[in-house]
Amino acid sequence: MVQTIHQSLECLDKWITHYRSFTTEGHCATYIPALGKANPAQLGICMIGADGTIQKSGDWDVAFTMQSISKVISFVAACLHRGIPYVLDRVDVEPTGDPFDSIIRLEMHKPGKPFNPMINAGAITVASLLPGESPAEKLGSLYALFEEIVGKRPTISEEVFQSEWQTAHRNRALAHYLKEVGFLESEVEEALEVYLKQCAIEVNTEDVALLGLILAHDGYHPIRKKQIFPKEIARITKALMLTCGMYNASGKFAAFVGMPAKSGVSGGIMAAVPSRVRSGDSPFQGGCGIGIYGPSIDEYGNSVAGVMLLKQIANSWDLNIF
Ligand code: DON
């Protein structure tokens, strides 16, 4: 029997309390100094269904920066404005099995085309492909798409942006290499500015859940009843999320959770659960978008408790797409 909203919210509250105790198994990211100020014990979730059903629990309304979850929006924006073939000529759709900031494959596989847009090398390339001559113009197209999805103009955490801008030595190295081999369309510092500002967009779990919901519905916004981006872009993006979205833990996540998802080092996870799955006794029979925040991350860069919570939800409510 399908659970009532009240019953499912009770479950979420119980699971949040339970998995919060596992946040001690990870640490907040500190390589971007400003992220080290987060409270590692926080854990929150928002789930939104196609009919607008919304469930929120724990620290769902804490503001955090998107970090790598923004790679999804920038990839969609680049495909929308430049066309899928143009983008895929410059960034591939293959998982690497390497950490998100790895540089090794660029030189090992000539001509140095980034493997996918979910790792830093691919995302910096995608940032350079956004339409416009200046970082402000490129960010404009990304912000416009964000606004269509989330319903509000994005704000940037200047503190997080500055903190990463001053310490982004590895991303600078990646960008310089990509420039040298011809995959970066803008100047190095311009691509970095776009990429690091998109990473510093502030969201809460509800914003992230909306993005997941629209991806789950193949680019269609079921609440606003509007096609935001084409189905073909949504499908490629979800395939990338499934194979590369949780970095070098994507295989384990697909096997044991089974949802297209994208994480960020600030502790966010966005997941897209399509409507075609048999959804057990979940109140989200028509699919849903899920946003999670838990800033204590594991060795791969994924929220420790967030991954555990998603696994519990996938199993209990039969939301695993396989
Ligand atoms: O480029 C970076 O290192 C960060 N701005 C984003 C990395 C990230 O979120 C990886 N996530 N797990």
Side-chain angles (χ1 to χ4, degrees):
M1 234 215 358
V2 176
Q3 284 185 336
T4 64
I5 291 295
H6 182 68
Q7 286 168 327
S8 58
L9 189 57
E10 268 183 8
C11 284
L12 282 183
D13 288 343
K14 188 177 72 188
W15 293 333
I16 286 277
T17 305
H18 176 68
Y19 290 110
R20 193 174 266 141
S21 62
F22 291 89
T23 54
T24 51
E25 292 186 7
H27 302 279
C28 293
T30 50
Y31 78 98
I32 302 171
L35 296 185
K37 293 183 185 171
N39 175 355
Q42 287 184 322
L43 183 63
I45 186 168
C46 176
M47 298 178 74
I48 308 180
D51 60 355
T53 299
I54 183 160
Q55 299 221 318
K56 304 159 173 178
S57 184
D59 300 299
W60 70 270
D61 60 346
V62 171
F64 60 96
T65 53
M66 285 189 104
Q67 298 303 332
S68 285
I69 298 175
S70 70
K71 290 169 178 166
V72 170
I73 297 193
S74 59
F75 177 71
V76 171
C79 289
L80 256 180
H81 292 285
R82 307 301 296 267
I84 296 169
Y86 189 91
V87 174
L88 297 190
D89 265 356
R90 288 154 185 83
V91 58
D92 215 332
V93 290
E94 291 300 335
T96 65
D98 298 327
F100 61 84
D101 56 358
S102 177
I103 202 163
I104 192 163
R105 269 168 214 266
L106 291 182
E107 211 186 3
M108 278 172 60
H109 295 262
K110 300 289 181 203
K113 179 175 173 175
F115 268 53
N116 69 72
M118 302 292 136
I119 51 169
N120 290 9
I124 294 167
T125 303
V126 168
S128 80
L129 300 180
L130 290 169
E133 296 303 316
S134 63
E137 282 176 15
K138 288 183 184 300
L139 283 163
S141 64
L142 194 146
Y143 292 168
L145 179 61
F146 179 97
E147 198 169 351
E148 281 268 47
I149 294 168
V150 175
K152 64 185 179 199
R153 200 74 187 154
T155 55
I156 302 286
S157 164
E158 193 59 31
E159 185 195 1
V160 173
F161 168 67
Q162 287 299 339
S163 178
E164 189 167 13
W165 179 256
Q166 283 154 22
T167 53
H169 306 298
R170 186 179 277 259
N171 280 333
R172 278 207 167 74
L174 283 168
H176 277 286
Y177 188 86
L178 289 162
K179 184 72 184 171
E180 200 255 340
V181 291
F183 285 99
L184 213 62
E185 274 201 359
S186 58
E187 294 308 316
V188 164
E189 294 299 306
E190 287 176 355
L192 275 174
E193 182 179 335
V194 175
Y195 170 66
L196 297 183
K197 282 194 172 155
Q198 72 180 55
C199 285
I201 294 175
E202 283 185 314
V203 286
N204 63 24
T205 60
E206 186 174 348
D207 304 328
V208 169
L210 268 173
L211 173 59
L213 179 70
I214 289 159
L215 281 162
H217 286 82
D218 292 337
Y220 180 74
H221 198 313
I223 302 168
R224 285 178 56 208
K225 306 205 182 317
K226 183 178 177 193
Q227 191 75 36
I228 309 284
F229 49 86
K231 181 186 274 191
E232 197 187 355
I233 297 179
R235 290 198 164 151
I236 297 171
T237 307
K238 281 184 280 187
L240 281 164
M241 285 162 60
L242 188 81
T243 53
C244 319
M246 304 298 282
Y247 302 107
N248 40 335
S250 296
K252 282 189 260 303
F253 191 85
F256 302 112
V257 182
M259 301 171 178
K262 182 75 204 81
S263 65
V265 281
S266 53
I269 304 178
M270 178 267 293
V273 183
S275 55
R276 56 190 167 274
V277 300
R278 190 172 49 84
S279 311
D281 59 358
S282 153
F284 296 102
Q285 299 289 321
C288 63
I290 306 178
I292 286 193
Y293 175 62
S296 174
I297 58 172
D298 62 20
E299 63 195 287
Y300 306 107
N302 301 323
S303 172
V304 172
V307 170
M308 292 177 182
L309 177 61
L310 270 177
K311 187 174 174 185
Q312 172 80 57
I313 290 170
N315 289 336
S316 297
W317 289 345
D318 213 1
L319 295 179
N320 183 323
I321 67 167
F322 302 107

